[in-house]
Amino acid sequence: MDSLVSLNLRDCINLKRLPKSINLKFLKVLVLSGCSKLKKFPTISDNIESLHLDGTAVKRVPESIESLLKLAVLNLKKCCRLMHLPDTLCKLKSLKELILSGCSKLESFPDIHEDMGSLEILLIDDTAIKQTPRKMCMSNLKLFSFGGSKVQDFRGLELLPFSGCSQLSDMYLTDCNLYKLPDNFSCLSSLQSLCLSKNNIENLPGSIKKLHHLKSLYLKHCQKLISLPVLPSNLQYLDAHGCISLETIAKPMTLLVIAEKTHSTFVFTDCFKLNRDAQENIVAHTQLKSQILVNGFLQRNHHKELVLEPLAAVSFPGNDLPLWFRHQRMGSSMEINLPPHWCDDKFIGLSLCTVVSFKDYEDRTSRFSVICKCKFRNEDGDSISFTCNLGGWKEQCGSSSHEKSRRLSSDHVFISYNNCYHAKKIDDLNRCCNTTASFKFFLTDGKAKRKLDCCEVVKCGMSLLHAPDENDYRLHGLQENNLEKAGKETDLNETALDEVVVSKRGRLCFQEEELLNRKKIKEEVSFSNYECTVTSVLSYTKPAKPNHWT
């Protein structure tokens, strides 16, 4: 066995120890997963690269582990008796993955004084660790999971040295008893996914908007969260389900740049305290973002592509459709006669809306979607059918053991903006003709696509989406190439970035021409003017029909 490279003894439940006389000096992979009676940490070969001890009865990792200079993977998941990690852990310079999830008796993690430059994955969720380490030198760490670890310092992660983890892209901090995040949170410049669900946070630091690469933010069941600050421009998915204290949302909700290409979904299910201004702000922001994406499609000549996912989608509690949806029906389907010039050169897609009634619905698949089957038929009998997604929610972040199931028992509004340019294919000659459009809305649990009996579509609405006219652009003095350049620069200071956002928002807003004094716009552009205008256009009580929504 001198030349043995890999040894797999998985689930040998009666194995208590490895023989001392065994000679495995060339062994690289040792799998002892599920050997539940193995109590002593095995030291066999200094050439070991992958060591799997998950599910064993090991109580401590010895100081001598520092001799395993080639060790790349150390898996101690669910070692429920493990109580000690050595200070020499930082000597493992080749270690890429350290998995300690479910080590329920592990109360401390050693300070890492020397850079573990190879470590990319550190999972210490569901442990008994109550205090975060004072120092963690892990310059290449990409995935960090600390979920279910009850931090007892009310300052939360104030002591966690994030500054040494500049490559961190995924952080899961579910159910950590956190009360606040440090103001310097923006130093995590590479962060793409952040999960803060089931914590005691009341507010997020304003610096979060500087996380320019953040794509997913999970805030589910943060029941003390009161308000949201301005969020990063590239945010694609926000899930704030069950934030029962959430009342206000910053204006703008996220920073917007004219060059952005990312689709977005914002979920506010069971956020019952959202005030009317917050709901209108959510809808206005989602609409504006879709228009920016439309403009991007036009510039890149991608508007003719078939895109099933919504440009932008949002959901929140409610039982009324926004009044600016021209076509509305009770029930889950509608059929309408489109205006003669619906398919002109400006047509780009559809805005769709539903009210879904939930009756003690419990999500068991962590996926839910509102789907619309669309059919356009002209007077010559030609037709085209396609499917649009109105959004919903997707899989949970991090370990599912930290998550509550999503339960809904009230009505919710779902709104989406979809690029459906391909509907014009029924009229290739682009001539005026009578066209009938039918829409059938239904609900699916995502992967299984099973029928959902505990919820139904009770109202539905549709409006046509058209590209902006040249006359609708404001701030003509700003050149397109300058805006794109500014949108790509991630190192803009806060003031400059805000000025860019204001300019782009002014150019792409939907309001009626008579609602704005153009001379005043040229002389003074401010967020307050913009907010008043969008609110008046999208008001639920005094709706106005925007130029581009028929």
mmCIF file of all heavy atoms in Angstrom, residues 93 95-96 115-122 136-144 163-169 190:
data_model
loop_
_atom_site.group_PDB
_atom_site.id
_atom_site.type_symbol
_atom_site.label_atom_id
_atom_site.label_comp_id
_atom_site.label_asym_id
_atom_site.label_seq_id
_atom_site.Cartn_x
_atom_site.Cartn_y
_atom_site.Cartn_z
ATOM 1 N N LYS A 93 -0.910 26.891 4.669
ATOM 2 C CA LYS A 93 -0.849 27.866 3.583
ATOM 3 C C LYS A 93 -1.489 27.374 2.286
ATOM 4 O O LYS A 93 -1.765 28.174 1.395
ATOM 5 C CB LYS A 93 0.611 28.251 3.315
ATOM 6 C CG LYS A 93 1.340 28.814 4.524
ATOM 7 C CD LYS A 93 0.662 30.075 5.047
ATOM 8 C CE LYS A 93 1.443 30.673 6.209
ATOM 9 N NZ LYS A 93 0.805 31.885 6.756
ATOM 10 N N LEU A 95 -4.354 25.522 2.318
ATOM 11 C CA LEU A 95 -5.765 25.224 2.580
ATOM 12 C C LEU A 95 -6.682 26.145 1.778
ATOM 13 O O LEU A 95 -6.582 27.369 1.864
ATOM 14 C CB LEU A 95 -6.054 25.371 4.072
ATOM 15 C CG LEU A 95 -7.385 24.791 4.560
ATOM 16 C CD1 LEU A 95 -7.428 23.282 4.356
ATOM 17 C CD2 LEU A 95 -7.622 25.130 6.030
ATOM 18 N N LYS A 96 -7.609 25.544 1.013
ATOM 19 C CA LYS A 96 -8.567 26.295 0.204
ATOM 20 C C LYS A 96 -9.974 26.249 0.790
ATOM 21 O O LYS A 96 -10.733 27.207 0.648
ATOM 22 C CB LYS A 96 -8.598 25.740 -1.225
ATOM 23 C CG LYS A 96 -7.324 25.957 -2.013
ATOM 24 C CD LYS A 96 -7.469 25.437 -3.432
ATOM 25 C CE LYS A 96 -6.209 25.711 -4.242
ATOM 26 N NZ LYS A 96 -6.329 25.217 -5.639
ATOM 27 N N ASP A 115 -1.384 35.426 7.032
ATOM 28 C CA ASP A 115 -2.302 35.365 5.897
ATOM 29 C C ASP A 115 -2.447 33.938 5.369
ATOM 30 O O ASP A 115 -1.459 33.318 4.968
ATOM 31 C CB ASP A 115 -1.820 36.287 4.775
ATOM 32 C CG ASP A 115 -2.837 36.363 3.637
ATOM 33 O OD1 ASP A 115 -4.011 36.012 3.868
ATOM 34 O OD2 ASP A 115 -2.445 36.777 2.524
ATOM 35 N N MET A 116 -3.682 33.442 5.405
ATOM 36 C CA MET A 116 -3.989 32.156 4.761
ATOM 37 C C MET A 116 -4.415 32.483 3.332
ATOM 38 O O MET A 116 -5.601 32.475 2.980
ATOM 39 C CB MET A 116 -5.082 31.427 5.535
ATOM 40 C CG MET A 116 -4.687 31.071 6.966
ATOM 41 S SD MET A 116 -5.983 30.194 7.886
ATOM 42 C CE MET A 116 -5.998 28.600 7.033
ATOM 43 N N GLY A 117 -3.437 32.778 2.507
ATOM 44 C CA GLY A 117 -3.682 33.325 1.181
ATOM 45 C C GLY A 117 -4.400 32.406 0.213
ATOM 46 O O GLY A 117 -4.932 32.873 -0.791
ATOM 47 N N SER A 118 -4.441 31.107 0.513
ATOM 48 C CA SER A 118 -5.112 30.163 -0.388
ATOM 49 C C SER A 118 -6.560 29.905 -0.001
ATOM 50 O O SER A 118 -7.333 29.383 -0.809
ATOM 51 C CB SER A 118 -4.348 28.830 -0.416
ATOM 52 O OG SER A 118 -3.047 28.990 -0.929
ATOM 53 N N LEU A 119 -6.931 30.259 1.235
ATOM 54 C CA LEU A 119 -8.267 29.931 1.725
ATOM 55 C C LEU A 119 -9.334 30.724 0.974
ATOM 56 O O LEU A 119 -9.323 31.951 0.958
ATOM 57 C CB LEU A 119 -8.373 30.217 3.222
ATOM 58 C CG LEU A 119 -9.626 29.662 3.910
ATOM 59 C CD1 LEU A 119 -9.629 28.138 3.868
ATOM 60 C CD2 LEU A 119 -9.717 30.150 5.353
ATOM 61 N N GLU A 120 -10.271 30.007 0.355
ATOM 62 C CA GLU A 120 -11.344 30.626 -0.414
ATOM 63 C C GLU A 120 -12.710 30.410 0.216
ATOM 64 O O GLU A 120 -13.614 31.230 0.043
ATOM 65 C CB GLU A 120 -11.349 30.078 -1.849
ATOM 66 C CG GLU A 120 -10.087 30.401 -2.632
ATOM 67 C CD GLU A 120 -10.147 29.873 -4.051
ATOM 68 O OE1 GLU A 120 -11.156 29.200 -4.396
ATOM 69 O OE2 GLU A 120 -9.205 30.121 -4.818
ATOM 70 N N ILE A 121 -12.884 29.294 0.955
ATOM 71 C CA ILE A 121 -14.194 28.948 1.528
ATOM 72 C C ILE A 121 -14.034 28.676 3.015
ATOM 73 O O ILE A 121 -13.241 27.826 3.419
ATOM 74 C CB ILE A 121 -14.794 27.722 0.824
ATOM 75 C CG1 ILE A 121 -15.030 28.008 -0.658
ATOM 76 C CG2 ILE A 121 -16.090 27.297 1.497
ATOM 77 C CD1 ILE A 121 -15.502 26.803 -1.447
ATOM 78 N N LEU A 122 -14.787 29.418 3.828
ATOM 79 C CA LEU A 122 -14.805 29.214 5.275
ATOM 80 C C LEU A 122 -16.254 29.142 5.732
ATOM 81 O O LEU A 122 -16.996 30.123 5.669
ATOM 82 C CB LEU A 122 -14.085 30.364 5.992
ATOM 83 C CG LEU A 122 -14.120 30.333 7.523
ATOM 84 C CD1 LEU A 122 -13.509 29.038 8.063
ATOM 85 C CD2 LEU A 122 -13.410 31.545 8.110
ATOM 86 N N MET A 136 -8.493 38.124 11.269
ATOM 87 C CA MET A 136 -8.671 37.079 10.255
ATOM 88 C C MET A 136 -7.936 37.504 8.987
ATOM 89 O O MET A 136 -8.479 38.243 8.175
ATOM 90 C CB MET A 136 -10.154 36.848 9.969
ATOM 91 C CG MET A 136 -10.943 36.259 11.121
ATOM 92 S SD MET A 136 -12.724 36.179 10.779
ATOM 93 C CE MET A 136 -12.754 35.010 9.434
ATOM 94 N N CYS A 137 -6.724 37.050 8.835
ATOM 95 C CA CYS A 137 -5.935 37.373 7.641
ATOM 96 C C CYS A 137 -6.215 36.319 6.585
ATOM 97 O O CYS A 137 -5.614 35.234 6.594
ATOM 98 C CB CYS A 137 -4.450 37.432 7.980
ATOM 99 S SG CYS A 137 -4.013 38.741 9.117
ATOM 100 N N MET A 138 -7.149 36.626 5.717
ATOM 101 C CA MET A 138 -7.553 35.701 4.655
ATOM 102 C C MET A 138 -7.773 36.513 3.389
ATOM 103 O O MET A 138 -8.903 36.827 3.015
ATOM 104 C CB MET A 138 -8.832 34.951 5.050
ATOM 105 C CG MET A 138 -8.717 34.150 6.335
ATOM 106 S SD MET A 138 -10.301 33.480 6.877
ATOM 107 C CE MET A 138 -9.827 32.663 8.417
ATOM 108 N N SER A 139 -6.701 36.880 2.748
ATOM 109 C CA SER A 139 -6.757 37.855 1.652
ATOM 110 C C SER A 139 -7.502 37.352 0.431
ATOM 111 O O SER A 139 -7.951 38.152 -0.392
ATOM 112 C CB SER A 139 -5.337 38.259 1.253
ATOM 113 O OG SER A 139 -4.585 37.120 0.844
ATOM 114 N N ASN A 140 -7.679 36.026 0.307
ATOM 115 C CA ASN A 140 -8.322 35.483 -0.892
ATOM 116 C C ASN A 140 -9.671 34.834 -0.586
ATOM 117 O O ASN A 140 -10.228 34.133 -1.427
ATOM 118 C CB ASN A 140 -7.393 34.459 -1.564
ATOM 119 C CG ASN A 140 -7.736 34.232 -3.019
ATOM 120 O OD1 ASN A 140 -8.087 35.163 -3.747
ATOM 121 N ND2 ASN A 140 -7.655 32.992 -3.466
ATOM 122 N N LEU A 141 -10.202 35.083 0.630
ATOM 123 C CA LEU A 141 -11.474 34.465 1.014
ATOM 124 C C LEU A 141 -12.597 34.958 0.110
ATOM 125 O O LEU A 141 -12.784 36.155 -0.083
ATOM 126 C CB LEU A 141 -11.792 34.811 2.467
ATOM 127 C CG LEU A 141 -12.978 34.059 3.091
ATOM 128 C CD1 LEU A 141 -12.663 32.567 3.200
ATOM 129 C CD2 LEU A 141 -13.312 34.620 4.465
ATOM 130 N N LYS A 142 -13.382 34.004 -0.431
ATOM 131 C CA LYS A 142 -14.473 34.343 -1.348
ATOM 132 C C LYS A 142 -15.851 34.012 -0.774
ATOM 133 O O LYS A 142 -16.825 34.700 -1.063
ATOM 134 C CB LYS A 142 -14.276 33.626 -2.685
ATOM 135 C CG LYS A 142 -13.054 34.095 -3.467
ATOM 136 C CD LYS A 142 -12.928 33.350 -4.783
ATOM 137 C CE LYS A 142 -11.824 33.935 -5.651
ATOM 138 N NZ LYS A 142 -10.502 33.866 -5.017
ATOM 139 N N LEU A 143 -15.951 32.945 0.025
ATOM 140 C CA LEU A 143 -17.235 32.524 0.591
ATOM 141 C C LEU A 143 -17.099 32.389 2.098
ATOM 142 O O LEU A 143 -16.240 31.651 2.588
ATOM 143 C CB LEU A 143 -17.680 31.193 -0.026
ATOM 144 C CG LEU A 143 -18.898 30.499 0.598
ATOM 145 C CD1 LEU A 143 -20.125 31.382 0.536
ATOM 146 C CD2 LEU A 143 -19.168 29.166 -0.081
ATOM 147 N N PHE A 144 -17.948 33.114 2.832
ATOM 148 C CA PHE A 144 -17.931 33.069 4.293
ATOM 149 C C PHE A 144 -19.346 32.865 4.797
ATOM 150 O O PHE A 144 -20.247 33.654 4.496
ATOM 151 C CB PHE A 144 -17.352 34.374 4.855
ATOM 152 C CG PHE A 144 -17.359 34.445 6.352
ATOM 153 C CD1 PHE A 144 -16.699 33.492 7.116
ATOM 154 C CD2 PHE A 144 -18.023 35.468 7.022
ATOM 155 C CE1 PHE A 144 -16.697 33.556 8.497
ATOM 156 C CE2 PHE A 144 -18.035 35.556 8.402
ATOM 157 C CZ PHE A 144 -17.361 34.588 9.152
ATOM 158 N N SER A 163 -11.704 44.019 6.702
ATOM 159 C CA SER A 163 -10.749 44.686 5.821
ATOM 160 C C SER A 163 -9.735 43.735 5.208
ATOM 161 O O SER A 163 -9.151 44.032 4.173
ATOM 162 C CB SER A 163 -10.008 45.783 6.593
ATOM 163 O OG SER A 163 -9.370 45.241 7.735
ATOM 164 N N GLY A 164 -9.526 42.577 5.836
ATOM 165 C CA GLY A 164 -8.558 41.631 5.286
ATOM 166 C C GLY A 164 -9.151 40.673 4.291
ATOM 167 O O GLY A 164 -8.489 39.724 3.872
ATOM 168 N N CYS A 165 -10.411 40.867 3.927
ATOM 169 C CA CYS A 165 -11.103 39.916 3.038
ATOM 170 C C CYS A 165 -11.614 40.651 1.801
ATOM 171 O O CYS A 165 -12.812 40.650 1.515
ATOM 172 C CB CYS A 165 -12.252 39.242 3.770
ATOM 173 S SG CYS A 165 -11.795 38.480 5.346
ATOM 174 N N SER A 166 -10.729 41.275 1.065
ATOM 175 C CA SER A 166 -11.139 42.133 -0.049
ATOM 176 C C SER A 166 -11.710 41.361 -1.228
ATOM 177 O O SER A 166 -12.363 41.945 -2.092
ATOM 178 C CB SER A 166 -9.953 42.980 -0.519
ATOM 179 O OG SER A 166 -8.886 42.147 -0.934
ATOM 180 N N GLN A 167 -11.479 40.043 -1.299
ATOM 181 C CA GLN A 167 -11.988 39.233 -2.407
ATOM 182 C C GLN A 167 -13.324 38.575 -2.088
ATOM 183 O O GLN A 167 -13.866 37.842 -2.918
ATOM 184 C CB GLN A 167 -10.959 38.143 -2.769
ATOM 185 C CG GLN A 167 -9.594 38.664 -3.163
ATOM 186 C CD GLN A 167 -9.654 39.566 -4.370
ATOM 187 O OE1 GLN A 167 -10.324 39.262 -5.358
ATOM 188 N NE2 GLN A 167 -8.968 40.695 -4.301
ATOM 189 N N LEU A 168 -13.866 38.831 -0.911
ATOM 190 C CA LEU A 168 -15.094 38.160 -0.480
ATOM 191 C C LEU A 168 -16.248 38.478 -1.421
ATOM 192 O O LEU A 168 -16.588 39.635 -1.645
ATOM 193 C CB LEU A 168 -15.430 38.615 0.939
ATOM 194 C CG LEU A 168 -16.451 37.772 1.708
ATOM 195 C CD1 LEU A 168 -15.928 36.364 1.920
ATOM 196 C CD2 LEU A 168 -16.761 38.424 3.049
ATOM 197 N N SER A 169 -16.881 37.439 -1.970
ATOM 198 C CA SER A 169 -17.983 37.632 -2.907
ATOM 199 C C SER A 169 -19.319 37.153 -2.354
ATOM 200 O O SER A 169 -20.368 37.663 -2.753
ATOM 201 C CB SER A 169 -17.692 36.908 -4.227
ATOM 202 O OG SER A 169 -17.542 35.509 -4.015
ATOM 203 N N SER A 190 -15.850 43.529 -3.363
ATOM 204 C CA SER A 190 -16.125 42.444 -4.315
ATOM 205 C C SER A 190 -17.400 41.688 -3.993
ATOM 206 O O SER A 190 -17.754 40.742 -4.700
ATOM 207 C CB SER A 190 -14.944 41.461 -4.347
ATOM 208 O OG SER A 190 -13.754 42.092 -4.743
#
